[in-house]
């Protein structure tokens, strides 16, 4: 069987920058650095116990980032921090040595050609016996921050290893008695500081930012990638879950590292990501495809097997915690049962911002599978007899999403229907009705994702597009209870643009829509809306809406009058009284008879509703009031 183009693409991109690593380390002589602290003066290296205790005397408990907050919790981070403003790092050769070290480590990390790491000193940390920092990821403290640097100052201590998780492989770095140990790692790498057993561990921490704009060099030939992309978008995909087969219209290549929106917008790609994105972008441009960096939510459901009870299990710090067997989250992944990838934000040139773009399996390619990464949430379901032993995992990943330019309007419309609606409005304003109708056709399959607050713009666009079918498609996802009095001018324009039968059909589609909150809407919004329509000289629209609500009233009353429980029936019919009064107050003499006859057919069960209408302060026309009173009396 021929290898699918996506698999060949994955293999090709997996070979690029194959020597890049996620962490880099080197050593420098202790005399390279001098340390001075306000209030203490010069602190000689290596640091001995008396100097460490003096550092602690001018330090404070270290906080850590949790989401958007900075918190203090010794169960997570137990260490002392000397603020950066009190610490002075120097030495005749320190700056030059640090620059050279960062250049070497940048190459190890696979930084794009033409970039350099620039250090920003963050703080001086002192760990005493038993102190630690639990597994975590560094927050990006700067928009251009891509990595962290830990400089372990020479001191006599044991424990306190810096343990970094590199895609499931833990690498530990230990400080030295007589040398500086420098460790750089990407900010999205999970890491921890194991408890110090003896002595004091002292480190200087830095944020690492990219100093120059990337001009990545790549080894995979863009022509080969371009050919594979063209083949992918030209290959018909058959799925047992879809009746029709069609060629793919997009592709998302998942990146290896985590990024914030700011990091993606600034193009601060890390290691192999920068190289692979450069290859894909060059190939896409040559083949006539558009692309954008994006963020994605990944969910996967896996079959699991309990871990082998013959092994010993260890906590995050290497201590044995269970000799008898695994806890609920001690399992081995088996077969992937299900999953989804949804793009949630992108940096597209035309429609940057939040999006929602679900992807099928055949539209996703990744060198590194999500299963080997650290999920931000997981939920384990143990064996329950005939189901279970599964785990759901959720990840946040970045991606480069690509699509053919011939399908650009449809892709952007699906990702962000509100943006697409704005494009139609722009075309109309420019007098380009043909282009506006083409944009409307591209949006049509995705109008159901338009939010309720886009109704005002949808009404204006529908009236101006001068195409009844296109206008109907734009307005179909909305409902009558979304309409308020301030939309009367747009409704009047719509009624002027299309004949009454068209407007009646549109109202019918709205009447069969959501209907959640219709009763409350009738009580509060119906009368003001009709008055505003009368003021806008849209009498026909007001009349059509009232007639629609008359039918709604009879349908609801009929359903509630048929309830078997006497108390429940009476309560629900009484509750309907306010909305019924609002509808009947707008009912003219000519249609009152039809409505009252409909209520009369409900028999004595409708009496609670009729009495509430008679008690209402809402004024009714004489004829419907008299007819309702007579029906209630009978």
């Amino acid at each position: 069987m021929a290898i699918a183009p996506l698999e060949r693409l994955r293999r090709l991109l997996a070979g690029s920058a194959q020597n890049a690593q996620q962490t880099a380390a080197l050593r420098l002589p202790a005399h390279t650095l001098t340390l001075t602290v306000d209030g203490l003066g010069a602190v000689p290296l290596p640091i001995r116990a008396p100097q460490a205790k003096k550092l602690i005397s001018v330090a404070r408990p270290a906080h850590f980032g949790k989401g958007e907050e900075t918190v203090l919790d010794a169960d997570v981070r137990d260490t002392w921090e000397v603020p950066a403003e009190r610490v002075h790092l120097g030495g005749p050769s320190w700056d030059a040595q640090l620059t050279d070290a960062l250049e070497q480590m940048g190459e190890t990390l696979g930084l794009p050609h033409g970039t350099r790491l620039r250090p920003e000193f963050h703080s001086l940390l002192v760990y005493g016996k038993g102190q630690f920092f639990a597994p975590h990821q560094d927050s990006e403290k700067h928009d251009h921050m891509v990595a962290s640097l830990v400089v372990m100052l020479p001191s006599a201590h044991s424990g306190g290893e810096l343990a970094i998780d590199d895609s499931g492989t833990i690498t530990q770095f230990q400080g030295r008695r007589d040398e500086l140990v420098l460790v750089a790692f990407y900010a999205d790498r999970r890491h921890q500081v194991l408890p110090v057993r003896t002595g004091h561990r002292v480190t200087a921490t830095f944020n690492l930012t990219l100093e120059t704009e990337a001009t990545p060099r790549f080894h995979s030939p863009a022509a080969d990638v371009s050919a594979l992309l063209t083949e992918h978008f030209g290959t018909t995909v058959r799925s047992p879950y879809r009746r029709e087969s069609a060629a793919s219209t997009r592709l998302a290549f998942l990146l290896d590292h985590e990024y914030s929106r700011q990091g993606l917008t600034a193009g601060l790609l890390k290691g192999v990501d920068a190289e692979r994105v450069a290859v894909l972008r060059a190939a896409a441009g040559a083949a006539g495809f558009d692309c954008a960096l994006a963020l994605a939510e990944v969910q996967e459901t896996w079959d699991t097997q309990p871990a082998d009870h013959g092994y010993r299990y260890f906590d995050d710090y290497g201590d044995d915690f269970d000799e008898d067997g695994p806890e609920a989250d001690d399992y081995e992944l088996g077969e992937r049962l299900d999953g989804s990838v949804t793009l949630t934000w992108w940096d597209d040139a035309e429609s940057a911002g939040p999006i929602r773009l679900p992807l099928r399996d055949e539209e996703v390619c990744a060198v590194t599978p999500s299963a080997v990464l650290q999920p931000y949430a997981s939920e384990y379901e143990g064996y329950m007899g005939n189901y279970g032993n599964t785990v759901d995992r959720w990840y946040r990943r970045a991606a480069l999403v690509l699509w053919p330019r011939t399908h650009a309007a449809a892709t952007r419309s699906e990702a962000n229907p509100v943006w697409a609606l704005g494009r139609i409005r722009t075309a109309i304003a420019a007098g380009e009705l043909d282009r506006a109708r083409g944009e409307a056709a591209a949006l049509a399959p995705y109008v159901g994702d338009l939010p309720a607050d886009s109704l005002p713009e949808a009404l204006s666009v529908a009236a101006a597009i001068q195409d009844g079918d296109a206008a109907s498609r734009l307005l179909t996802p909305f409902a009558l209870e979304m309409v308020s009095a301030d939309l009367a001018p747009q409704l009047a324009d719509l009624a002027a643009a299309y004949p009454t039968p068209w407007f009646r059909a549109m109202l019918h589609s709205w009447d069969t829509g959501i209907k959640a909150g219709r009763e409350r809407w009738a009580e509060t919004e119906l009368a003001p809306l009709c008055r505003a329509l009368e003021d806008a000289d849209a009498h026909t629209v007001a009349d059509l809406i009232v007639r629609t609500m008359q039918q709604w009233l009879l349908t609801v009353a009929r359903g509630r009058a048929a309830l078997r429980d006497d108390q429940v029936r009476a309560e629900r019919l009484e509750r309907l009284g306010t909305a019924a009064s609002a509808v009947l107050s707008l009912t003219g003499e000519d249609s009152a008879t039809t409505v009252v006859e409909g209520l009369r057919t409900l028999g004595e069960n409708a009496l609670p509703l009729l009495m509430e209408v008679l008690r209402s302060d809402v004024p009714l026309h004489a004829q419907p009031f008299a007819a309702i009173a007579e029906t209630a009396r009978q």
Side-chain angles (χ1 to χ4, degrees), residues 407 409-411 413-414 420-421 423-424 433-447 461 465 467 469-471 473-474:
H407 205 263
T411 297
S413 295
E414 182 179 1
L421 191 60
R423 289 267 299 183
I424 301 172
L433 283 182
D434 288 342
R435 180 164 72 90
R437 290 164 183 158
E439 298 278 0
L443 173 60
Y446 317 112
V447 292
V461 166
I465 203 169
D467 184 315
D469 291 340
R473 288 193 293 268
L474 282 175

PDB file of all heavy atoms in Angstrom, residues 407 409-411 413-414 420-421 423-424 433-447 461 465 467 469-471 473-474:
ATOM      1  N   HIS A 407      -9.656  27.972  -1.705  1.00  0.00           N
ATOM      2  CA  HIS A 407     -10.622  27.657  -0.650  1.00  0.00           C
ATOM      3  C   HIS A 407     -10.484  28.622   0.530  1.00  0.00           C
ATOM      4  O   HIS A 407     -10.981  28.365   1.620  1.00  0.00           O
ATOM      5  CB  HIS A 407     -10.397  26.214  -0.172  1.00  0.00           C
ATOM      6  CG  HIS A 407     -11.604  25.579   0.430  1.00  0.00           C
ATOM      7  ND1 HIS A 407     -11.825  25.540   1.788  1.00  0.00           N
ATOM      8  CD2 HIS A 407     -12.686  24.979  -0.122  1.00  0.00           C
ATOM      9  CE1 HIS A 407     -12.964  24.934   2.041  1.00  0.00           C
ATOM     10  NE2 HIS A 407     -13.509  24.593   0.904  1.00  0.00           N
ATOM     11  N   ALA A 409     -11.732  31.683   1.193  1.00  0.00           N
ATOM     12  CA  ALA A 409     -12.940  32.311   1.746  1.00  0.00           C
ATOM     13  C   ALA A 409     -13.717  31.332   2.605  1.00  0.00           C
ATOM     14  O   ALA A 409     -14.188  31.677   3.701  1.00  0.00           O
ATOM     15  CB  ALA A 409     -13.817  32.842   0.606  1.00  0.00           C
ATOM     16  N   ALA A 410     -13.846  30.090   2.143  1.00  0.00           N
ATOM     17  CA  ALA A 410     -14.597  29.097   2.908  1.00  0.00           C
ATOM     18  C   ALA A 410     -13.877  28.752   4.212  1.00  0.00           C
ATOM     19  O   ALA A 410     -14.509  28.618   5.261  1.00  0.00           O
ATOM     20  CB  ALA A 410     -14.805  27.835   2.063  1.00  0.00           C
ATOM     21  N   THR A 411     -12.553  28.616   4.159  1.00  0.00           N
ATOM     22  CA  THR A 411     -11.796  28.286   5.373  1.00  0.00           C
ATOM     23  C   THR A 411     -11.921  29.384   6.407  1.00  0.00           C
ATOM     24  O   THR A 411     -12.182  29.128   7.589  1.00  0.00           O
ATOM     25  CB  THR A 411     -10.313  28.058   5.025  1.00  0.00           C
ATOM     26  OG1 THR A 411     -10.212  26.932   4.142  1.00  0.00           O
ATOM     27  CG2 THR A 411      -9.495  27.798   6.271  1.00  0.00           C
ATOM     28  N   SER A 413     -14.242  31.655   6.569  1.00  0.00           N
ATOM     29  CA  SER A 413     -15.641  31.778   6.988  1.00  0.00           C
ATOM     30  C   SER A 413     -15.987  30.749   8.046  1.00  0.00           C
ATOM     31  O   SER A 413     -16.682  31.047   9.020  1.00  0.00           O
ATOM     32  CB  SER A 413     -16.568  31.606   5.776  1.00  0.00           C
ATOM     33  OG  SER A 413     -16.381  32.654   4.847  1.00  0.00           O
ATOM     34  N   GLU A 414     -15.524  29.529   7.870  1.00  0.00           N
ATOM     35  CA  GLU A 414     -15.795  28.495   8.868  1.00  0.00           C
ATOM     36  C   GLU A 414     -15.087  28.805  10.178  1.00  0.00           C
ATOM     37  O   GLU A 414     -15.643  28.606  11.259  1.00  0.00           O
ATOM     38  CB  GLU A 414     -15.354  27.122   8.352  1.00  0.00           C
ATOM     39  CG  GLU A 414     -15.660  26.009   9.332  1.00  0.00           C
ATOM     40  CD  GLU A 414     -15.259  24.639   8.818  1.00  0.00           C
ATOM     41  OE1 GLU A 414     -14.717  24.551   7.692  1.00  0.00           O
ATOM     42  OE2 GLU A 414     -15.492  23.648   9.531  1.00  0.00           O
ATOM     43  N   ALA A 420     -16.388  36.839   8.386  1.00  0.00           N
ATOM     44  CA  ALA A 420     -16.924  36.668   7.037  1.00  0.00           C
ATOM     45  C   ALA A 420     -18.117  37.599   6.799  1.00  0.00           C
ATOM     46  O   ALA A 420     -18.278  38.159   5.704  1.00  0.00           O
ATOM     47  CB  ALA A 420     -17.348  35.215   6.824  1.00  0.00           C
ATOM     48  N   LEU A 421     -18.941  37.783   7.820  1.00  0.00           N
ATOM     49  CA  LEU A 421     -20.073  38.701   7.692  1.00  0.00           C
ATOM     50  C   LEU A 421     -19.577  40.122   7.454  1.00  0.00           C
ATOM     51  O   LEU A 421     -20.143  40.868   6.643  1.00  0.00           O
ATOM     52  CB  LEU A 421     -20.917  38.627   8.963  1.00  0.00           C
ATOM     53  CG  LEU A 421     -22.292  39.307   8.938  1.00  0.00           C
ATOM     54  CD1 LEU A 421     -23.181  38.695   7.858  1.00  0.00           C
ATOM     55  CD2 LEU A 421     -22.946  39.182  10.299  1.00  0.00           C
ATOM     56  N   ARG A 423     -16.825  40.892   5.964  1.00  0.00           N
ATOM     57  CA  ARG A 423     -16.320  40.940   4.583  1.00  0.00           C
ATOM     58  C   ARG A 423     -17.446  41.210   3.599  1.00  0.00           C
ATOM     59  O   ARG A 423     -17.275  41.965   2.637  1.00  0.00           O
ATOM     60  CB  ARG A 423     -15.661  39.606   4.244  1.00  0.00           C
ATOM     61  CG  ARG A 423     -14.342  39.357   4.942  1.00  0.00           C
ATOM     62  CD  ARG A 423     -13.176  39.805   4.123  1.00  0.00           C
ATOM     63  NE  ARG A 423     -13.101  39.077   2.852  1.00  0.00           N
ATOM     64  CZ  ARG A 423     -12.132  39.240   1.959  1.00  0.00           C
ATOM     65  NH1 ARG A 423     -11.180  40.120   2.192  1.00  0.00           N
ATOM     66  NH2 ARG A 423     -12.103  38.550   0.834  1.00  0.00           N
ATOM     67  N   ILE A 424     -18.610  40.607   3.850  1.00  0.00           N
ATOM     68  CA  ILE A 424     -19.755  40.853   2.963  1.00  0.00           C
ATOM     69  C   ILE A 424     -20.157  42.320   3.043  1.00  0.00           C
ATOM     70  O   ILE A 424     -20.429  42.975   2.026  1.00  0.00           O
ATOM     71  CB  ILE A 424     -20.933  39.940   3.346  1.00  0.00           C
ATOM     72  CG1 ILE A 424     -20.521  38.475   3.262  1.00  0.00           C
ATOM     73  CG2 ILE A 424     -22.133  40.211   2.448  1.00  0.00           C
ATOM     74  CD1 ILE A 424     -21.550  37.514   3.813  1.00  0.00           C
ATOM     75  N   LEU A 433     -21.461  44.025  -5.478  1.00  0.00           N
ATOM     76  CA  LEU A 433     -22.499  43.084  -5.074  1.00  0.00           C
ATOM     77  C   LEU A 433     -22.165  41.653  -5.480  1.00  0.00           C
ATOM     78  O   LEU A 433     -22.484  40.704  -4.745  1.00  0.00           O
ATOM     79  CB  LEU A 433     -23.845  43.497  -5.668  1.00  0.00           C
ATOM     80  CG  LEU A 433     -24.557  44.674  -4.976  1.00  0.00           C
ATOM     81  CD1 LEU A 433     -25.887  44.939  -5.633  1.00  0.00           C
ATOM     82  CD2 LEU A 433     -24.756  44.371  -3.488  1.00  0.00           C
ATOM     83  N   ASP A 434     -21.547  41.473  -6.622  1.00  0.00           N
ATOM     84  CA  ASP A 434     -21.195  40.113  -7.034  1.00  0.00           C
ATOM     85  C   ASP A 434     -20.204  39.489  -6.049  1.00  0.00           C
ATOM     86  O   ASP A 434     -20.331  38.310  -5.679  1.00  0.00           O
ATOM     87  CB  ASP A 434     -20.589  40.126  -8.445  1.00  0.00           C
ATOM     88  CG  ASP A 434     -21.631  40.394  -9.517  1.00  0.00           C
ATOM     89  OD1 ASP A 434     -22.838  40.224  -9.211  1.00  0.00           O
ATOM     90  OD2 ASP A 434     -21.250  40.786 -10.637  1.00  0.00           O
ATOM     91  N   ARG A 435     -19.218  40.280  -5.635  1.00  0.00           N
ATOM     92  CA  ARG A 435     -18.265  39.753  -4.657  1.00  0.00           C
ATOM     93  C   ARG A 435     -18.956  39.482  -3.327  1.00  0.00           C
ATOM     94  O   ARG A 435     -18.684  38.475  -2.658  1.00  0.00           O
ATOM     95  CB  ARG A 435     -17.103  40.735  -4.453  1.00  0.00           C
ATOM     96  CG  ARG A 435     -16.070  40.244  -3.439  1.00  0.00           C
ATOM     97  CD  ARG A 435     -14.775  41.027  -3.545  1.00  0.00           C
ATOM     98  NE  ARG A 435     -14.907  42.371  -3.030  1.00  0.00           N
ATOM     99  CZ  ARG A 435     -14.686  42.716  -1.755  1.00  0.00           C
ATOM    100  NH1 ARG A 435     -14.359  41.779  -0.872  1.00  0.00           N
ATOM    101  NH2 ARG A 435     -14.798  43.967  -1.369  1.00  0.00           N
ATOM    102  N   ALA A 436     -19.873  40.363  -2.952  1.00  0.00           N
ATOM    103  CA  ALA A 436     -20.603  40.175  -1.696  1.00  0.00           C
ATOM    104  C   ALA A 436     -21.403  38.877  -1.729  1.00  0.00           C
ATOM    105  O   ALA A 436     -21.442  38.130  -0.740  1.00  0.00           O
ATOM    106  CB  ALA A 436     -21.531  41.360  -1.453  1.00  0.00           C
ATOM    107  N   ARG A 437     -22.031  38.593  -2.877  1.00  0.00           N
ATOM    108  CA  ARG A 437     -22.816  37.362  -2.972  1.00  0.00           C
ATOM    109  C   ARG A 437     -21.916  36.131  -2.962  1.00  0.00           C
ATOM    110  O   ARG A 437     -22.289  35.077  -2.435  1.00  0.00           O
ATOM    111  CB  ARG A 437     -23.674  37.406  -4.233  1.00  0.00           C
ATOM    112  CG  ARG A 437     -24.798  38.445  -4.132  1.00  0.00           C
ATOM    113  CD  ARG A 437     -25.403  38.784  -5.461  1.00  0.00           C
ATOM    114  NE  ARG A 437     -26.411  39.837  -5.323  1.00  0.00           N
ATOM    115  CZ  ARG A 437     -26.817  40.622  -6.310  1.00  0.00           C
ATOM    116  NH1 ARG A 437     -26.302  40.467  -7.529  1.00  0.00           N
ATOM    117  NH2 ARG A 437     -27.721  41.548  -6.095  1.00  0.00           N
ATOM    118  N   GLY A 438     -20.722  36.254  -3.545  1.00  0.00           N
ATOM    119  CA  GLY A 438     -19.774  35.147  -3.480  1.00  0.00           C
ATOM    120  C   GLY A 438     -19.309  34.890  -2.057  1.00  0.00           C
ATOM    121  O   GLY A 438     -19.195  33.730  -1.621  1.00  0.00           O
ATOM    122  N   GLU A 439     -19.051  35.977  -1.321  1.00  0.00           N
ATOM    123  CA  GLU A 439     -18.658  35.823   0.089  1.00  0.00           C
ATOM    124  C   GLU A 439     -19.807  35.219   0.894  1.00  0.00           C
ATOM    125  O   GLU A 439     -19.587  34.405   1.806  1.00  0.00           O
ATOM    126  CB  GLU A 439     -18.271  37.186   0.678  1.00  0.00           C
ATOM    127  CG  GLU A 439     -17.083  37.861   0.015  1.00  0.00           C
ATOM    128  CD  GLU A 439     -15.760  37.350   0.536  1.00  0.00           C
ATOM    129  OE1 GLU A 439     -15.776  36.464   1.411  1.00  0.00           O
ATOM    130  OE2 GLU A 439     -14.710  37.830   0.061  1.00  0.00           O
ATOM    131  N   ALA A 440     -21.038  35.612   0.574  1.00  0.00           N
ATOM    132  CA  ALA A 440     -22.199  35.068   1.280  1.00  0.00           C
ATOM    133  C   ALA A 440     -22.347  33.575   1.007  1.00  0.00           C
ATOM    134  O   ALA A 440     -22.712  32.796   1.902  1.00  0.00           O
ATOM    135  CB  ALA A 440     -23.461  35.816   0.866  1.00  0.00           C
ATOM    136  N   ALA A 441     -22.051  33.158  -0.209  1.00  0.00           N
ATOM    137  CA  ALA A 441     -22.124  31.732  -0.542  1.00  0.00           C
ATOM    138  C   ALA A 441     -21.070  30.951   0.239  1.00  0.00           C
ATOM    139  O   ALA A 441     -21.321  29.817   0.686  1.00  0.00           O
ATOM    140  CB  ALA A 441     -21.932  31.541  -2.047  1.00  0.00           C
ATOM    141  N   ALA A 442     -19.876  31.547   0.422  1.00  0.00           N
ATOM    142  CA  ALA A 442     -18.836  30.875   1.190  1.00  0.00           C
ATOM    143  C   ALA A 442     -19.222  30.758   2.657  1.00  0.00           C
ATOM    144  O   ALA A 442     -18.885  29.782   3.333  1.00  0.00           O
ATOM    145  CB  ALA A 442     -17.510  31.638   1.054  1.00  0.00           C
ATOM    146  N   LEU A 443     -19.943  31.750   3.165  1.00  0.00           N
ATOM    147  CA  LEU A 443     -20.356  31.744   4.566  1.00  0.00           C
ATOM    148  C   LEU A 443     -21.548  30.821   4.813  1.00  0.00           C
ATOM    149  O   LEU A 443     -21.727  30.325   5.940  1.00  0.00           O
ATOM    150  CB  LEU A 443     -20.705  33.179   5.002  1.00  0.00           C
ATOM    151  CG  LEU A 443     -21.310  33.381   6.391  1.00  0.00           C
ATOM    152  CD1 LEU A 443     -20.359  32.869   7.476  1.00  0.00           C
ATOM    153  CD2 LEU A 443     -21.664  34.839   6.629  1.00  0.00           C
ATOM    154  N   ALA A 444     -22.353  30.568   3.804  1.00  0.00           N
ATOM    155  CA  ALA A 444     -23.632  29.864   3.969  1.00  0.00           C
ATOM    156  C   ALA A 444     -23.545  28.582   4.803  1.00  0.00           C
ATOM    157  O   ALA A 444     -24.385  28.365   5.681  1.00  0.00           O
ATOM    158  CB  ALA A 444     -24.234  29.565   2.596  1.00  0.00           C
ATOM    159  N   PRO A 445     -22.567  27.689   4.582  1.00  0.00           N
ATOM    160  CA  PRO A 445     -22.560  26.449   5.378  1.00  0.00           C
ATOM    161  C   PRO A 445     -22.283  26.672   6.864  1.00  0.00           C
ATOM    162  O   PRO A 445     -22.484  25.765   7.667  1.00  0.00           O
ATOM    163  CB  PRO A 445     -21.425  25.636   4.736  1.00  0.00           C
ATOM    164  CG  PRO A 445     -21.190  26.243   3.404  1.00  0.00           C
ATOM    165  CD  PRO A 445     -21.499  27.691   3.564  1.00  0.00           C
ATOM    166  N   TYR A 446     -21.839  27.873   7.235  1.00  0.00           N
ATOM    167  CA  TYR A 446     -21.389  28.100   8.613  1.00  0.00           C
ATOM    168  C   TYR A 446     -22.189  29.181   9.330  1.00  0.00           C
ATOM    169  O   TYR A 446     -21.793  29.626  10.407  1.00  0.00           O
ATOM    170  CB  TYR A 446     -19.900  28.473   8.597  1.00  0.00           C
ATOM    171  CG  TYR A 446     -19.093  27.614   7.661  1.00  0.00           C
ATOM    172  CD1 TYR A 446     -18.525  28.142   6.509  1.00  0.00           C
ATOM    173  CD2 TYR A 446     -18.953  26.246   7.895  1.00  0.00           C
ATOM    174  CE1 TYR A 446     -17.810  27.340   5.619  1.00  0.00           C
ATOM    175  CE2 TYR A 446     -18.240  25.435   7.015  1.00  0.00           C
ATOM    176  CZ  TYR A 446     -17.677  25.988   5.879  1.00  0.00           C
ATOM    177  OH  TYR A 446     -16.988  25.189   5.003  1.00  0.00           O
ATOM    178  N   VAL A 447     -23.315  29.600   8.745  1.00  0.00           N
ATOM    179  CA  VAL A 447     -24.107  30.663   9.378  1.00  0.00           C
ATOM    180  C   VAL A 447     -24.652  30.215  10.732  1.00  0.00           C
ATOM    181  O   VAL A 447     -24.941  31.035  11.598  1.00  0.00           O
ATOM    182  CB  VAL A 447     -25.267  31.123   8.462  1.00  0.00           C
ATOM    183  CG1 VAL A 447     -24.748  31.829   7.232  1.00  0.00           C
ATOM    184  CG2 VAL A 447     -26.151  29.935   8.074  1.00  0.00           C
ATOM    185  N   VAL A 461     -26.883  43.513   6.287  1.00  0.00           N
ATOM    186  CA  VAL A 461     -26.279  42.890   5.117  1.00  0.00           C
ATOM    187  C   VAL A 461     -27.346  42.215   4.261  1.00  0.00           C
ATOM    188  O   VAL A 461     -27.340  42.324   3.026  1.00  0.00           O
ATOM    189  CB  VAL A 461     -25.201  41.876   5.559  1.00  0.00           C
ATOM    190  CG1 VAL A 461     -24.794  40.978   4.395  1.00  0.00           C
ATOM    191  CG2 VAL A 461     -24.000  42.605   6.121  1.00  0.00           C
ATOM    192  N   ILE A 465     -27.918  43.163   0.267  1.00  0.00           N
ATOM    193  CA  ILE A 465     -27.297  42.261  -0.696  1.00  0.00           C
ATOM    194  C   ILE A 465     -28.163  42.058  -1.944  1.00  0.00           C
ATOM    195  O   ILE A 465     -27.689  41.586  -2.976  1.00  0.00           O
ATOM    196  CB  ILE A 465     -26.963  40.910  -0.023  1.00  0.00           C
ATOM    197  CG1 ILE A 465     -25.856  40.197  -0.781  1.00  0.00           C
ATOM    198  CG2 ILE A 465     -28.196  40.023   0.091  1.00  0.00           C
ATOM    199  CD1 ILE A 465     -25.289  39.011  -0.053  1.00  0.00           C
ATOM    200  N   ASP A 467     -30.495  39.961  -2.756  1.00  0.00           N
ATOM    201  CA  ASP A 467     -30.597  38.579  -3.225  1.00  0.00           C
ATOM    202  C   ASP A 467     -31.396  37.821  -2.167  1.00  0.00           C
ATOM    203  O   ASP A 467     -30.886  37.562  -1.080  1.00  0.00           O
ATOM    204  CB  ASP A 467     -29.202  37.982  -3.408  1.00  0.00           C
ATOM    205  CG  ASP A 467     -29.249  36.559  -3.989  1.00  0.00           C
ATOM    206  OD1 ASP A 467     -30.070  35.749  -3.521  1.00  0.00           O
ATOM    207  OD2 ASP A 467     -28.439  36.256  -4.887  1.00  0.00           O
ATOM    208  N   ASP A 469     -32.433  34.701  -1.810  1.00  0.00           N
ATOM    209  CA  ASP A 469     -31.917  33.416  -1.329  1.00  0.00           C
ATOM    210  C   ASP A 469     -30.730  33.617  -0.389  1.00  0.00           C
ATOM    211  O   ASP A 469     -30.640  32.989   0.672  1.00  0.00           O
ATOM    212  CB  ASP A 469     -31.507  32.546  -2.512  1.00  0.00           C
ATOM    213  CG  ASP A 469     -32.701  32.068  -3.325  1.00  0.00           C
ATOM    214  OD1 ASP A 469     -33.817  32.084  -2.774  1.00  0.00           O
ATOM    215  OD2 ASP A 469     -32.510  31.703  -4.497  1.00  0.00           O
ATOM    216  N   ALA A 470     -29.804  34.501  -0.791  1.00  0.00           N
ATOM    217  CA  ALA A 470     -28.643  34.764   0.057  1.00  0.00           C
ATOM    218  C   ALA A 470     -29.069  35.383   1.378  1.00  0.00           C
ATOM    219  O   ALA A 470     -28.549  35.039   2.443  1.00  0.00           O
ATOM    220  CB  ALA A 470     -27.651  35.676  -0.662  1.00  0.00           C
ATOM    221  N   ALA A 471     -30.039  36.297   1.328  1.00  0.00           N
ATOM    222  CA  ALA A 471     -30.517  36.938   2.556  1.00  0.00           C
ATOM    223  C   ALA A 471     -31.169  35.915   3.485  1.00  0.00           C
ATOM    224  O   ALA A 471     -30.968  35.950   4.705  1.00  0.00           O
ATOM    225  CB  ALA A 471     -31.504  38.048   2.201  1.00  0.00           C
ATOM    226  N   ARG A 473     -30.492  32.704   3.712  1.00  0.00           N
ATOM    227  CA  ARG A 473     -29.464  31.859   4.309  1.00  0.00           C
ATOM    228  C   ARG A 473     -28.746  32.577   5.448  1.00  0.00           C
ATOM    229  O   ARG A 473     -28.403  31.977   6.466  1.00  0.00           O
ATOM    230  CB  ARG A 473     -28.469  31.414   3.235  1.00  0.00           C
ATOM    231  CG  ARG A 473     -29.019  30.372   2.260  1.00  0.00           C
ATOM    232  CD  ARG A 473     -27.907  29.751   1.434  1.00  0.00           C
ATOM    233  NE  ARG A 473     -27.312  30.733   0.537  1.00  0.00           N
ATOM    234  CZ  ARG A 473     -27.707  30.944  -0.719  1.00  0.00           C
ATOM    235  NH1 ARG A 473     -28.720  30.239  -1.219  1.00  0.00           N
ATOM    236  NH2 ARG A 473     -27.110  31.831  -1.477  1.00  0.00           N
ATOM    237  N   LEU A 474     -28.515  33.875   5.280  1.00  0.00           N
ATOM    238  CA  LEU A 474     -27.825  34.631   6.326  1.00  0.00           C
ATOM    239  C   LEU A 474     -28.642  34.719   7.607  1.00  0.00           C
ATOM    240  O   LEU A 474     -28.094  34.720   8.712  1.00  0.00           O
ATOM    241  CB  LEU A 474     -27.518  36.050   5.836  1.00  0.00           C
ATOM    242  CG  LEU A 474     -26.329  36.225   4.893  1.00  0.00           C
ATOM    243  CD1 LEU A 474     -26.252  37.674   4.422  1.00  0.00           C
ATOM    244  CD2 LEU A 474     -25.031  35.847   5.596  1.00  0.00           C
TER     245      LEU A 474
END
